[in-house]
Amino acid sequence: MSSSTAETARTDGGPFAWFRTLGRNGRKAFIGAFGGYGLDSYDFQVLPLGLVAITAYFGITKGEAGLLTTVTLVVSAIGGAVAGVMADRIGRVRTLMITVATYAVFTVLCGFATSYETLLVFRALQGLGFGGEWAAGAILVAEYCKPQYRGRTVAFIQSAWAVGWALSVVVYTVVFNFFPQDIAWRVLFWTGALPALLIIYVRRTVKDAPHVTERRATSDHKGSFRAIFAGDLTRTTLFASLLATGVQGGYYTLATWLPTYLKSERGLTVIGTGGYLAFLISGAFIGYVAGGYVTDWLGRKKTFALFAILSAGLIMLYTQIPAGANTTVLFLGFPLGFCMSAIFSGFGSFLAELYPTALRGTGQGFTYNFGRAVGALFPTLVGFMADRMGVGGAMVFGAIAYGIAVVALLGLPETRGRELL
């Protein structure tokens, strides 16, 4: 065996081959996308964590509180769709920087809101960047990956959501113990300025994959919404959008209302809520990572179906545990976090594999964020039904959302091992 052949074998094997085979520029892209998605998560999660304080400060109803999340997600669909087109027209890296800057600026401005209406507007505008970042970052990394490692590599990008979530819980616990409630939620939003540091790194070191830049430059259809609804792609776009709707409807129901459920119906303190969320977030991080390996091993569609069914069942179980059994709620948080996050691990690779290079940003940005927009109706529905059914009872709509995801899989192909063309 020649030295070059031996080196190739060593590089392509082993537990960290997915990272080594990205190459130098690919590894820099991975760091930039990981940081972008982690801070995207942080800036999103400060709202659910501060929601009880915000509700009390502005004297709003649960339905109005849920609308704060819904408007973020609905506008994120616009941001994600636009960012997808931008990624196909001006490049993945430039789009990544623009989206990170957008969600950082408007998260900080949320902390200066003087009324519920002002907060609603700032949160909506934050959604423009929030929706676009994932599409740009996930595609950027997917295009550096080898097909056999794409699922787990992009899943590690998804795991950054749990890291950002964990950081937000730590900061929330500190802030709400050092500041009175009516100012603590503002401080929490002001910490959303952190992503500005990431923009400097991305600007200096991260580049688009060279072969992708060449294909984009020579394509006649780059960044076209019409093209993703033409020919064979019409079916793909419709069912991928439905899949994203179901998965994100279930997830955002939990992400929005779980802190409120733990406080209002389980009677937990700020520190107690943080402790329970620690179990959930630990499961989420491991779920993101493990889900990537599962999607490369089992296939994209089977992985989505498996974790959708498990997530729906766990929501039902978690919210129906009788009063006084908080220890059960604590430990059940780990498998719930695992399953609700593992289902996301295949999204980056699956959506990238469904579309050609010239339309990858547009297709992925549209379908994923369309799912966010329609899935965003679920947290609002829970908010309006909570007065009648209780927060825990209303969260059953999250389980229904996962059922929609399973149905959507019937109209999509399996793409494991597919080369990006």
Side-chain angles (χ1 to χ4, degrees):
M1 181 182 292
S2 67
S3 59
S4 61
T5 302
E7 175 63 21
T8 299
R10 186 192 70 78
T11 301
D12 286 354
F16 298 103
W18 63 270
F19 188 70
R20 289 195 303 270
T21 55
L22 287 172
R24 183 179 179 183
N25 287 336
R27 290 192 288 270
K28 290 178 180 178
F30 176 89
I31 293 170
F34 186 95
Y37 198 52
L39 291 169
D40 196 6
S41 169
Y42 181 94
D43 279 12
F44 174 80
Q45 295 293 351
V46 294
L47 174 64
L49 289 168
L51 199 56
V52 172
I54 292 168
T55 300
Y57 184 87
F58 290 116
I60 57 179
T61 66
K62 286 186 174 69
E64 289 171 323
L67 187 59
L68 286 168
T69 294
T70 296
V71 74
T72 306
L73 299 177
V74 170
V75 176
S76 79
I78 300 171
V82 171
V85 173
M86 289 171 60
D88 285 336
R89 292 187 176 184
I90 67 173
R92 306 350 183 179
V93 172
R94 291 174 66 187
T95 303
L96 181 64
M97 289 191 294
I98 291 170
T99 56
V100 170
T102 301
Y103 73 65
V105 168
F106 286 107
T107 298
V108 172
L109 288 177
C110 284
F112 292 99
T114 55
S115 65
Y116 169 74
E117 291 74 18
T118 305
L119 179 60
L120 193 66
V121 170
F122 285 151
R123 189 66 180 178
L125 294 173
Q126 188 252 18
L128 291 173
F130 170 70
E133 189 282 332
W134 182 83
I139 295 167
L140 173 66
V141 175
E143 290 170 339
Y144 275 106
C145 294
K146 293 199 170 188
Q148 67 268 35
Y149 298 131
R150 189 174 296 120
R152 69 198 70 176
T153 305
V154 181
F156 270 93
I157 297 295
Q158 295 277 175
S159 75
W161 184 272
V163 175
W165 190 4
L167 179 61
S168 70
V169 171
V170 171
V171 174
Y172 154 79
T173 303
V174 173
V175 168
F176 272 76
N177 274 283
F178 278 90
F179 293 92
Q181 182 171 280
D182 59 351
I183 189 66
W185 67 267
R186 295 185 183 277
V187 175
L188 202 56
F189 278 118
W190 293 335
T191 62
L194 288 170
L197 299 175
L198 177 70
I199 297 173
I200 299 173
Y201 171 82
V202 172
R203 181 179 177 84
R204 290 181 176 178
T205 64
V206 181
K207 299 178 181 178
D208 286 351
H211 65 282
V212 172
T213 302
E214 293 173 7
R215 289 176 188 170
R216 279 196 305 104
T218 58
S219 174
D220 295 328
H221 301 290
K222 56 188 176 183
S224 168
F225 285 122
R226 179 180 298 178
I228 65 172
F229 284 99
D232 293 339
L233 287 180
T234 302
R235 178 186 177 94
T236 296
T237 299
L238 292 175
F239 279 97
S241 298
L242 188 62
L243 173 65
T245 297
V247 172
Q248 296 189 87
Y251 177 84
Y252 285 113
T253 294
L254 287 165
T256 301
W257 288 108
L258 207 56
T260 300
Y261 169 73
L262 291 173
K263 285 183 179 180
S264 64
E265 297 194 12
R266 307 306 307 193
L268 299 179
T269 63
V270 169
I271 292 177
T273 298
Y276 276 63
L277 290 177
F279 270 75
L280 187 78
I281 295 168
S282 297
F285 178 79
I286 297 174
Y288 281 127
V289 174
Y293 286 87
V294 174
T295 196
D296 279 339
W297 167 64
L298 195 61
R300 311 318 190 206
K301 292 178 64 175
K302 289 181 181 178
T303 301
F304 277 116
L306 172 65
F307 289 118
I309 293 169
L310 290 175
S311 295
L314 285 165
I315 289 176
M316 299 293 292
L317 185 59
Y318 191 88
T319 56
Q320 302 306 314
I321 293 172
N326 279 0
T327 301
T328 303
V329 174
L330 175 68
F331 288 107
L332 197 60
F334 186 89
L336 177 62
F338 182 95
C339 292
M340 65 185 269
S341 299
I343 194 171
F344 277 92
S345 298
F347 258 124
S349 53
F350 190 43
L351 295 180
E353 290 159 352
L354 288 173
Y355 292 94
T357 295
L359 297 173
R360 188 165 297 125
T362 306
Q364 188 157 335
F366 177 85
T367 56
Y368 190 80
N369 288 288
F370 176 90
R372 267 182 174 167
V374 181
L377 299 175
F378 285 85
T380 297
L381 182 60
V382 171
F384 282 109
M385 296 301 292
D387 290 331
R388 186 179 308 172
M389 305 171 61
V391 174
M395 285 173 67
V396 69
F397 289 102
I400 294 172
Y402 284 117
I404 293 172
V406 174
V407 173
L409 291 169
L410 299 175
L412 293 168
E414 177 55 56
T415 61
R416 179 178 56 171
R418 181 178 291 183
E419 295 281 354
L420 297 187
L421 302 175

